[in-house]
């Protein structure tokens, strides 16, 4: 509900105190954003990328009078925080899109050159090139395979 409320709010113009590009305090005005989308990341209750969860999210968007746009996060709780499971999530959502679900407009993946992650070392020479220092990621080979699969599956 919090995300739906945020989408509803973001559609409308706002004015607020902020800092302009010159570093001065000023009134910032927005025109509103009608193109917002809901991001399904999973949560404490588990995953939310399955067909029933996506249908429920679409129903909630519809009920709120919002555009039926969903982005599915293949990482975080949807992969149970196991980076290697992102490909399973990707494939499931891709199958749903191929089957005709047009509400899914995007998928998000934690990706880097090499899989996994590493702590930020004080001695930077200890860092492995191309490995994330934040969230665990799938590597480039997996990312490329996922993208190629989607390209083939979604060809017109």
């Amino acid at each position: 509900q919090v995300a739906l409320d945020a989408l509803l709010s973001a559609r409308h113009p706002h004015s607020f105190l902020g800092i302009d590009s010159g570093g001065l305090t000023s009134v910032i005005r927005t025109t509103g954003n009608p193109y917002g989308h809901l991001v399904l990341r999973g949560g404490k209750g588990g995953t939310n990328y399955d067909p029933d969860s996506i249908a429920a999210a679409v129903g909630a968007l519809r009920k709120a009078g919002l555009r039926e746009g969903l982005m599915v996060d293949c990482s975080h709780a949807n992969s149970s925080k196991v980076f290697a499971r992102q490909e399973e999530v990707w494939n499931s959502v891709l199958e749903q899109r191929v089957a005709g679900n047009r509400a899914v407009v995007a998928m998000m993946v934690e990706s880097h050159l090499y899989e996994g992650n590493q702590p930020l070392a004080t001695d930077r020479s200890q860092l492995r090139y191309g490995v994330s220092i934040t969230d665990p990621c799938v590597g480039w080979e997996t990312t490329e395979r996922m993208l190629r699969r989607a390209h083939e599956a979604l060809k017109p």
Side-chain angles (χ1 to χ4, degrees):
Q1 186 58 52
V2 172
L4 295 174
D5 292 344
L7 287 170
L8 284 167
S9 178
R11 291 189 340 177
H12 302 287
H14 288 85
S15 298
F16 57 92
L17 285 177
I19 306 297
D20 69 12
S21 60
L24 300 174
T25 302
S26 61
V27 175
I28 307 293
R29 291 185 171 82
T30 69
T31 58
N33 179 3
Y35 304 109
H37 56 271
L38 187 62
V39 179
L40 300 180
R41 301 179 55 166
K44 292 179 184 176
T47 64
N48 61 1
Y49 65 89
D50 59 278
D52 290 341
S53 294
I54 288 179
V58 169
L61 287 166
R62 208 176 274 149
K63 183 178 177 184
L66 292 164
R67 186 172 83 79
E68 297 174 14
L70 298 172
M71 174 187 285
V72 175
D73 181 347
C74 296
S75 186
H76 300 99
N78 273 337
S79 66
S80 302
K81 297 188 177 185
V82 177
F83 75 88
R85 293 198 59 221
Q86 290 186 86
E87 190 169 11
E88 295 171 34
V89 177
W90 177 275
N91 290 335
S92 174
V93 176
L94 180 59
E95 288 171 15
Q96 293 175 60
R97 178 70 188 195
V98 169
N101 187 331
R102 295 293 173 248
V104 176
V105 297
M107 289 188 279
M108 182 170 38
V109 177
E110 297 274 357
S111 171
H112 212 301
L113 294 175
Y114 300 104
E115 69 178 25
N117 70 332
Q118 63 186 326
L120 180 57
T122 307
D123 178 1
R124 298 224 172 142
S125 69
Q126 299 300 308
L127 292 174
R128 292 173 289 152
Y129 173 78
V131 178
S132 173
I133 58 168
T134 58
D135 291 339
C137 297
V138 294
W140 177 247
E141 287 180 16
T142 301
T143 303
E144 183 178 16
R145 182 174 57 246
M146 292 163 65
L147 291 171
R148 289 185 184 282
R149 185 175 299 127
H151 175 74
E152 283 301 314
L154 298 172
K155 275 185 182 176

